[in-house]
Amino acid sequence: MEKIKKIAVVIIVVGLIIAVAISFGENDPELRANYQVVEDMRLRINLEAAEEGNEIELYNPENESVGKTEVTSEDITRRFIGVMQSTVKLPLAEEGNPITGEYTIVVRGSAGGEVIYEDKLTFEGPDVEITDIELSTGPEEGEGLWKLNTEVENQGDLPILVDEINLEIEDEFERVPLDEEIELMPEGSESLQGNVTMDVGENEKLVRVEILSFGEVYAYSETEIVIGG
């Protein structure tokens, strides 16, 4: 009798295991995605439950295809649950910064195949803020009378290329080019530095600073600072 009970228990357990296995086999894992804007104006896509051969395509706010990538075995970082990571280039406006608006992410089972996942992403654009301004004595003779240091933050959701600063001190004005374009990332901060040739004294002055990207002003601050202090 005990043996019969034990055999019955084993049969029940085995049956449960088979039922669970069948259940998992019948229900494919649901596709899920999250996104992050990364350096070089690219959108990183992390897709869970992806399979090799899936095609990911990005559409701009005008519903035009602007980039696609096919999932390869190298993209799948955690094979058990099919987590993959890939990037696509964000489309740029004529001046060189990413286009704002609503984007569409489409995943197909294979190139040109059936759509198995679709999602919308809305980008409002960069939101630049000047947090600090400092005008100190230039580091070396011939490099400018002053060194301008401007601390900026981007509280928006898209990066921006900063290439120039406008500086106004009372009645004097100067464009301060940067040594190179600075890619200011979302939720990021940078220290922008440039040489200034204005002949102004070392005392408190009213200073206006503007942050530009391809000729367009994205942030400004007007404040009194102690020059050379």
Side-chain angles (χ1 to χ4, degrees):
M1 194 67 170
E2 277 302 315
K3 288 183 179 180
I4 294 174
K5 287 183 178 179
K6 287 181 180 179
I7 293 171
V9 170
V10 170
I11 291 172
I12 292 171
V13 171
V14 172
L16 288 172
I17 292 173
I18 293 172
V20 170
I22 292 173
S23 174
F24 275 107
E26 290 177 348
N27 295 286
D28 293 330
E30 183 181 354
L31 280 168
R32 289 182 293 181
N34 60 72
Y35 316 94
Q36 181 184 11
V37 177
V38 295
E39 293 180 352
D40 195 28
M41 308 294 181
R42 301 185 73 84
L43 179 67
R44 176 185 292 159
I45 302 169
N46 293 287
L47 189 64
E48 187 175 318
E51 295 180 357
E52 187 175 350
N54 287 167
E55 182 184 77
I56 303 170
E57 192 163 12
L58 177 68
Y59 291 83
N60 68 11
E62 282 71 46
N63 203 34
E64 301 167 335
S65 176
V66 292
K68 66 175 64 176
T69 182
E70 184 175 311
V71 178
T72 67
S73 58
E74 288 78 17
D75 295 323
I76 300 177
T77 56
R78 294 169 61 191
R79 191 167 296 279
F80 179 69
I81 54 176
V83 174
M84 63 76 60
Q85 185 179 96
S86 188
T87 59
V88 291
K89 185 80 172 179
L90 286 166
L92 306 179
E94 289 185 5
E95 75 277 5
N97 289 313
I99 297 171
T100 60
E102 185 181 74
Y103 288 76
T104 304
I105 297 286
V106 171
V107 181
R108 294 181 175 86
S110 60
E114 179 184 358
V115 174
I116 57 176
Y117 179 83
E118 185 172 319
D119 199 7
K120 301 287 186 182
L121 289 173
T122 301
F123 291 110
E124 302 291 340
D127 182 8
V128 184
E129 180 181 344
I130 299 172
T131 58
D132 191 39
I133 302 169
E134 182 181 338
L135 200 58
S136 57
T137 305
E140 294 181 19
E141 187 176 351
E143 287 192 357
L145 297 174
W146 307 97
K147 190 76 172 181
L148 175 65
N149 183 73
T150 306
E151 302 290 337
V152 293
E153 293 180 354
N154 181 5
Q155 299 177 357
D157 54 15
L158 283 177
I160 181 174
L161 287 176
V162 179
D163 57 3
E164 189 177 44
I165 302 173
N166 282 346
L167 174 65
E168 187 176 348
I169 303 177
E170 296 183 341
D171 295 330
E172 294 196 54
F173 175 85
E174 185 170 339
R175 286 187 171 87
V176 185
L178 303 177
D179 294 335
E180 59 181 359
E181 293 175 346
I182 303 296
E183 185 177 8
L184 185 56
M185 299 298 296
E187 304 301 322
S189 61
E190 292 285 349
S191 178
L192 309 179
Q193 298 181 343
N195 296 314
V196 178
T197 59
M198 287 183 184
D199 187 9
V200 292
E202 293 190 26
N203 50 30
E204 190 171 66
K205 299 276 188 177
L206 180 63
V207 173
R208 178 184 173 92
V209 169
E210 297 176 336
I211 304 300
L212 287 83
S213 176
F214 301 102
E216 182 177 349
V217 176
Y218 276 83
Y220 71 89
S221 177
E222 191 171 84
T223 185
E224 288 189 349
I225 67 169
V226 177
I227 298 175

